[in-house]
Amino acid sequence: MRLPNIPALLQIFLLVWTGQEVKSANILMSGLVGKGSHFLSLVPIGKRLVRQGHNVTCLIMDEYKERADDPELKKYFNFEIYKNTDPHYTTKEYFQFVSELAFNENGGLRSFGKMMYLTKELLRKSCLFVLEDKEMMKRLEKMDAIVSDVSWLCSSVIKLYLKKHANTDIRIILNVPNTPNAMILDLAGSPVNPAYQPSTMSGLTSNMTFIERTINTISTAVFRSFGNQMGSYFMSFAEQF
Ligand SMILES: *[C@@H]1O[C@H](CO)[C@@H](O)[C@H](O)[C@H]1NC(C)=O
Ligand SMILES: *[C@@H]1O[C@H](CO)[C@@H](O)[C@H](O)[C@H]1NC(C)=O
């Protein structure tokens, strides 16, 4: 049996009617402090959102405020720039350390430990700078959604803050620019099996010897425990605000 065609007039009516349901949203886009790949991988997503009629505002730290002067980015985005108010702290130092570590073959466990410590410091400090800027937080109350890099845990705290203080129904969308590691896969509810899923930064492939699997299992456990630590750490941080 042939299904009857929907009359053209009805099709047009449906098109116009559903078209009216599309609203322009205020979207906060936040890729870490505004640095490197964590920021740049969000740019095409943000541009697309702007082309769809949304109003996208990038949240960046003043150490990377040159982004706001970039003629290409300026065409698409608004900017909210928060200040690093700690005279003894700079994020550039952190990123320098990480890039040195990335090219250092024998960095070992001590460098890894230091990187984890510095990462925690970066995430904590930069989030404090955001939350302490009460005027900016007030301006963010109009946001409908946050599009964020997954490493920037503060976006979840911003969401909780706005939900509680401004009673907004703000949504969050996370972008993962790196190979997924155990803590991200856990959060997404995906299975993690170190027998064939190589851990982030391990340099391994899915074809591993017994020794490599052992190393991979330890590396996976370290990432997972770091993820759990950061999770509970940021929950207490959120409660504080
Ligand atoms: C778009 O966002 C900017 C910055 O957050 C804001 O100043 C502006 O009023 C917004 N525009 C609209 C149409 O909501
Ligand atoms: C895995 O690696 C071993 C040793 O390098 C090799 O002999 C084997 O063919 C590889 N297996 C696959 C599926 O690539």
Side-chain angles (χ1 to χ4, degrees):
M1 193 185 82
R2 248 183 101 237
L3 287 170
N5 286 326
I6 304 177
L9 207 60
L10 182 59
Q11 283 187 32
I12 291 168
F13 169 75
L14 281 174
L15 205 71
V16 172
W17 181 65
T18 50
Q20 279 176 344
E21 291 297 297
V22 179
K23 293 198 190 99
S24 164
N26 282 310
I27 296 171
L28 186 69
M29 199 170 82
S30 185
L32 211 51
V33 290
K35 164 80 182 170
S37 59
H38 292 282
F39 176 81
L40 293 173
S41 66
L42 286 176
V43 167
I45 298 172
K47 283 183 176 174
R48 183 73 202 198
L49 288 168
V50 171
R51 283 193 209 110
Q52 304 274 17
H54 300 297
N55 187 25
V56 178
T57 304
C58 298
L59 180 67
I60 57 172
M61 193 194 267
D62 59 355
E63 286 186 53
Y64 298 93
K65 65 174 184 291
E66 68 272 9
R67 298 266 187 224
D69 298 322
D70 184 314
E72 172 70 8
L73 297 177
K74 244 184 357 195
K75 261 198 316 213
Y76 288 89
F77 307 128
N78 308 290
F79 285 87
E80 281 287 0
I81 305 173
Y82 60 94
K83 290 191 181 61
N84 177 350
T85 50
D86 186 342
H88 305 295
Y89 182 78
T90 113
T91 64
K92 297 228 156 127
E93 190 190 340
Y94 165 79
F95 285 110
Q96 172 140 20
F97 179 81
V98 172
S99 56
E100 277 166 17
L101 186 68
F103 294 104
N104 188 350
E105 288 289 314
N106 40 31
L109 215 58
R110 244 182 85 225
S111 305
F112 186 76
K114 183 166 179 203
M115 191 188 86
M116 288 308 180
Y117 169 76
L118 289 175
T119 304
K120 200 164 145 178
E121 271 302 279
L122 166 84
L123 293 174
R124 187 178 71 88
K125 293 260 182 189
S126 48
C127 200
L128 268 178
F129 302 148
V130 172
L131 295 168
E132 282 172 351
D133 191 339
K134 296 283 181 242
E135 278 174 29
M136 187 183 71
M137 290 307 289
K138 190 86 200 148
R139 289 197 297 275
L140 297 187
E141 285 178 7
K142 67 167 181 296
M143 294 298 166
D144 301 300
I146 306 177
V147 175
S148 172
D149 185 274
V150 73
S151 63
W152 172 238
L153 300 179
C154 193
S155 54
S156 303
V157 183
I158 296 172
K159 176 185 190 278
L160 287 172
Y161 182 100
L162 293 175
K163 210 165 176 159
K164 187 161 162 91
H165 288 255
N167 198 25
T168 62
D169 187 23
I170 186 168
R171 305 302 169 94
I172 194 162
I173 300 102
L174 297 177
N175 179 41
V176 185
N178 46 279
T179 52
N181 59 42
M183 63 195 190
I184 292 168
L185 291 167
D186 282 347
L187 286 171
S190 298
V192 180
N193 187 345
Y196 66 93
Q197 281 168 279
S199 177
T200 309
M201 302 195 314
S202 65
L204 298 168
T205 71
S206 54
N207 188 7
M208 290 176 266
T209 63
F210 178 73
I211 300 291
E212 286 169 341
R213 281 181 202 190
T214 309
I215 294 167
N216 195 48
T217 303
I218 294 167
S219 173
T220 302
V222 169
F223 265 108
R224 192 172 256 157
S225 107
F226 180 70
N228 290 340
Q229 258 185 49
M230 289 301 278
S232 53
Y233 177 74
F234 260 78
M235 276 322 284
S236 65
F237 192 83
E239 264 154 38
Q240 187 192 330
F241 281 87

